[in-house]
Amino acid sequence: MTELQTLPAPEKLPSSGGKARAKGPKGGSRKRESRGTLAFSRGARIKALAKHAVLIIAGGVMIYPLLWMVVSSLRPNDLIFREPGLWLNGLEMGNYTDGWSALTHPFGHYMLNSAIVVIGSILGNLISCSMAAYAFARLQFSGKKLFFGVMLLTIMLPFHVIIVPQYILFSQIGWVNTFWPLIVPKLLATDAFFVFLMVQFIRGIPKELDEAARIDGAGHPRIFLRVILPLMVPALATTTIFTFIWTWNDFFGALIYLTDPEMFTVPVALRAFVDSQSATSWGSLFAMSIVSLLPVFLVFLFGQRFLIKGIATTGIK
Amino acid sequence: MSAIGELSSISRRKGPATAEEKRANRRDNKAAYVFLLPWLIGLAAITVGPMIMSLYLSFTDYNLLQPPEWVGLDNFTRMLGDARLHNSLRVTFTYVLVGVPLQLAVALLIALVLDKGLRGLPFYRSIFYLPSLLGGSVAVAILWKQIFGTSGLVNQVLAMFGITGPGWISDPSTSLGSIILLHVWTFGSPMIIFLAGLRQIPNMYYEAAEVDGATTLQKFWRITLPMLSPIIFFNLVLQIIGSFQSFTQAFIVSGGNGGPSDSTMFFTLYLYQKGFGQFDMGYASAMAWFLLVIIGAFTAINFIASKYWVFYDD
């Protein structure tokens, strides 16, 4: 059984109100009972209120810089440095139009580049990681323990150890300033975290299901495609969402491999923006920062459930 | 089970193979290698091959244009006398040794407040988790640079109280602190792991302690902390490995040069400058291996020390 299954969904936990009521006195008249509940929940309510106060203040501090960036992106430049507050006197959309066309290409060009890399990476991770995971979770083969251990170790391997020779390799086959160095490693299941996540998930799928399919004459490709894959949609969704966010945010890889502005993804384009005119136009820089964060934010909004399960299970960010 | 737990238990799961297992073994062998093919190619071409090559390059002088020239231990002796490298180590160690415990402490604290049937938990969890997702992005690093700038948000707020703040990013004594703060700000993902861990502690322990009249603090020290120790260990190992590799924040905040006066020159940033700025690939490879040894040593120390403070319930 994996943790994925044993973890109760946080939403299903009883609320404090329900708990307090359950602990209230059972016998007695209706009046006494309600008074007892009230007395108990008053203490609990003060404690809960204190907790909410702490959380609201802490959460406010956490989120304030982000809100301030949103507001600043809608302010004229000269106000940004004088306004710590969040109120707006009219919308200033000029930052967005200026920022959008501040670099050699319109910002949409870089977003399209990022989208290509993201989609390639997602497909790569989904296909190759699920295949490897099926082998590790369901098949017996010589060297399994060794390979499984190696796979787990590669999760912890710092990428700096391989980046120099990788760069030399990719530059020698002429892949610098193409998207291949960013996509091909994903096609080869180098994000071992996802292999591990999927192994964990497949282990939680009852073996009887594949045995039944095998009795019906299915081979491994068919069991994998028709039985396992449809059942592991939650794990695939988690992989998709994390790959999206990581690849969209990836700066180091893009910085090394993409030096031609034509090929820039969003993070390197933003950085070029900083270099070109940070001193004068914070407003449009913030505007494009917001644009660059928007896809991540949307994925976060719709994929939260999977994100949280993914972290709780394997510790991926 | 976590990746780390899994790794330490691999050797323990050994048993003699039965005849049936051996038959299944032969039948599955071929299929398994077909399924593993992409991963195996990746392991060879993207991971192990480059590792061997980088080990070789660390003993050479190589600038991508001329063929590598064997120089023996020269790169490593150069590292011994490289003051900028020593400084980058000091910066990185400070970042890891201050930032990681601080971040985990905040994560645990908020997780404790969030635990057990608090109304609005999903909402709070989202608010606290969001920075974790955005924290590694260039956009947030840009934001940070502005917030802690001389006339940035922080100093605007301080000015409201009549305080003139320093130029946090431009002052060498506070610049690293600003980046550490950015790391602490992204406490959401360890927090979620803590929340999951807190859920696993059986309620009966707390009920028993309550019967014995334990205070809240006693319950925390005697029950929560020991029961949570495997999760703390897991977070610690992961965060240390990750923090040693931090790059984007320092790169953007310092404009790529690790300034002011090298105060944010992380080890990885220096490695990047050597390898991809000056194309001193031999030296960069030697540095990469040094980083691997450091991370390996930290992880090993963590595992050894864990025998004394990590408590397993099984």
Side-chain angles (χ1 to χ4, degrees):
Chain A
M1 197 72 153
T2 66
E3 270 180 336
L4 218 60
Q5 266 81 43
T6 54
L7 276 174
E11 290 78 9
K12 282 183 193 146
L13 284 166
S15 70
S16 56
K19 219 174 182 179
R21 226 167 290 129
K23 278 188 182 171
K26 271 171 190 156
S29 72
R30 206 187 178 96
K31 205 178 166 188
R32 255 194 70 196
E33 186 181 322
S34 68
R35 207 179 337 149
T37 310
L38 202 71
F40 181 88
S41 58
R42 192 171 292 155
R45 203 174 288 166
I46 288 169
K47 209 177 157 190
L49 222 65
K51 277 186 177 182
H52 282 295
V54 169
L55 289 170
I56 288 169
I57 292 169
V61 172
M62 290 280 290
I63 228 70
Y64 198 89
L66 293 171
L67 294 177
W68 181 82
M69 178 160 67
V70 174
V71 171
S72 292
S73 76
L74 295 166
R75 273 182 179 142
N77 246 314
D78 54 327
L79 264 187
I80 293 173
F81 296 98
R82 284 191 275 128
E83 283 283 10
L86 293 180
W87 42 90
L88 268 171
N89 305 318
L91 290 183
E92 171 74 47
M93 293 308 287
N95 290 329
Y96 282 85
T97 48
D98 289 354
W100 190 266
S101 53
L103 294 172
T104 336
H105 299 275
F107 208 75
H109 178 88
Y110 308 115
M111 298 190 78
L112 194 66
N113 284 347
S114 274
I116 294 169
V117 176
V118 165
I119 290 168
S121 300
I122 289 174
L123 286 179
N125 271 345
L126 286 181
I127 296 167
S128 60
C129 293
S130 63
M131 285 172 66
Y134 179 74
F136 280 128
R138 283 297 204 254
L139 299 173
Q140 297 304 320
F141 55 95
S142 45
K144 178 172 173 173
K145 272 187 184 133
L146 173 76
F147 281 134
F148 192 66
V150 168
M151 189 271 291
L152 292 176
L153 276 178
T154 58
I155 295 177
M156 292 163 227
L157 187 77
F159 57 82
H160 294 92
V161 180
I162 51 177
I163 193 69
V164 170
Q166 228 187 73
Y167 177 82
I168 295 168
L169 173 80
F170 286 138
S171 77
Q172 274 170 358
I173 47 180
W175 278 3
V176 171
N177 278 317
T178 70
F179 299 137
W180 296 118
L182 303 178
I183 296 174
V184 168
K186 318 281 165 153
L187 284 167
L188 300 175
T190 48
D191 278 348
F193 249 131
F194 299 122
V195 179
F196 178 67
L197 177 103
M198 291 182 194
V199 167
Q200 291 287 78
F201 197 88
I202 297 174
R203 280 176 180 169
I205 298 172
K207 265 198 167 141
E208 288 78 10
L209 290 174
D210 3 343
E211 273 153 21
R214 179 170 301 183
I215 289 165
D216 290 346
H220 285 299
R222 189 179 286 247
I223 295 172
F224 172 65
L225 288 171
R226 294 292 165 86
V227 180
I228 299 294
L229 268 188
L231 288 171
M232 62 189 284
V233 167
L236 300 177
T238 304
T239 302
T240 304
I241 291 165
F242 274 103
T243 307
F244 187 108
I245 292 171
W246 287 353
T247 312
W248 189 268
N249 280 342
D250 174 44
F251 176 64
F252 193 69
L255 178 71
I256 286 172
Y257 290 115
L258 307 175
T259 50
D260 178 0
E262 179 77 26
M263 304 304 287
F264 277 180
T265 54
V266 167
V268 256
L270 263 184
R271 185 251 168 162
F273 201 160
V274 179
D275 283 357
S276 65
Q277 50 187 321
S278 63
T280 50
S281 55
W282 279 101
S284 44
L285 187 53
F286 282 157
M288 288 310 104
S289 297
I290 299 288
V291 169
S292 83
L293 290 179
L294 213 57
V296 177
F297 184 72
L298 289 177
V299 168
F300 164 75
L301 217 55
F302 294 108
Q304 261 203 74
R305 195 160 59 92
F306 297 110
L307 285 167
I308 282 164
K309 272 190 182 166
I311 303 176
T313 316
T314 57
I316 58 183
K317 288 208 170 184
Chain B
M1 194 192 275
S2 70
I4 288 168
E6 189 97 8
L7 194 59
S8 54
S9 69
I10 277 181
S11 53
R12 272 188 263 143
R13 255 189 295 132
K14 216 163 197 170
T18 65
E20 205 279 325
E21 274 176 356
K22 277 180 185 160
R23 261 199 310 279
N25 210 330
R26 274 194 297 277
R27 190 177 58 215
D28 288 351
N29 223 346
K30 222 171 106 184
Y33 281 102
V34 173
F35 276 97
L36 278 179
L37 197 62
W39 179 78
L40 282 169
I41 296 171
L43 185 70
I46 306 284
T47 309
V48 176
M51 276 182 81
I52 295 167
M53 190 171 161
S54 114
L55 189 60
Y56 162 72
L57 286 177
S58 69
F59 296 106
T60 67
D61 186 9
Y62 183 42
N63 61 5
L64 281 184
L65 302 172
Q66 280 97 29
E69 186 193 333
W70 186 266
V71 293
L73 288 171
D74 267 17
N75 287 324
F76 294 96
T77 48
R78 242 176 90 196
M79 279 165 62
L80 283 177
D82 186 345
R84 284 191 92 185
L85 184 134
H86 300 163
N87 171 65
S88 76
L89 276 176
R90 198 181 48 76
V91 169
T92 308
F93 277 115
T94 310
Y95 177 75
V96 172
L97 295 177
V98 176
V100 171
L102 214 56
Q103 188 208 39
L104 291 186
V106 174
L108 181 56
L109 188 77
I110 298 290
L112 285 171
V113 180
L114 274 179
D115 190 34
K116 303 259 158 79
L118 193 78
R119 243 167 230 263
L121 172 77
F123 172 73
Y124 288 126
R125 201 180 42 195
S126 309
I127 294 274
F128 290 120
Y129 174 51
L130 183 63
S132 287
L133 280 185
L134 308 180
S137 67
V138 169
V140 163
I142 289 171
L143 171 68
W144 221 253
K145 196 177 175 180
Q146 214 298 308
I147 290 179
F148 286 96
T150 311
S151 52
L153 179 61
V154 170
N155 283 349
Q156 286 170 28
V157 173
L158 287 176
M160 285 160 59
F161 299 97
I163 304 166
T164 310
W168 304 92
I169 299 287
S170 52
D171 185 338
S173 60
T174 49
S175 53
L176 181 58
S178 314
I179 299 181
I180 289 176
L181 211 59
L182 174 51
H183 180 71
V184 175
W185 187 63
T186 62
F187 68 78
S189 64
M191 177 198 76
I192 283 171
I193 303 174
F194 279 137
L195 275 173
L198 287 170
R199 295 266 143 69
Q200 309 269 31
I201 303 176
N203 231 341
M204 58 179 188
Y205 291 150
Y206 293 107
E207 282 158 10
E210 256 161 55
V211 171
D212 291 344
T215 64
T216 310
L217 213 60
Q218 277 172 329
K219 280 188 273 180
F220 174 72
W221 284 110
R222 300 284 170 80
I223 301 170
T224 312
L225 223 48
M227 292 298 285
L228 211 58
S229 56
I231 309 281
I232 297 173
F233 173 63
F234 174 67
N235 269 334
L236 195 65
V237 171
L238 275 192
Q239 289 297 330
I240 285 179
I241 292 173
S243 298
F244 267 114
Q245 300 176 60
S246 292
F247 175 81
T248 305
Q249 298 87 336
F251 184 95
I252 296 295
V253 166
S254 74
N257 59 26
S261 41
D262 278 359
S263 61
T264 60
M265 179 63 94
F266 282 42
F267 192 82
T268 51
L269 189 47
Y270 192 51
L271 193 159
Y272 168 81
Q273 287 191 351
K274 284 287 168 197
F276 301 95
Q278 303 164 14
F279 293 103
D280 195 348
M281 292 296 186
Y283 197 61
S285 298
M287 282 183 71
W289 273 89
F290 188 49
L291 182 66
L292 181 68
V293 170
I294 293 173
I295 293 177
F298 264 78
T299 310
I301 290 169
N302 254 323
F303 268 92
I304 293 163
S306 75
K307 291 201 175 79
Y308 301 98
W309 67 272
V310 175
F311 170 77
Y312 288 101
D313 197 25
D314 52 33

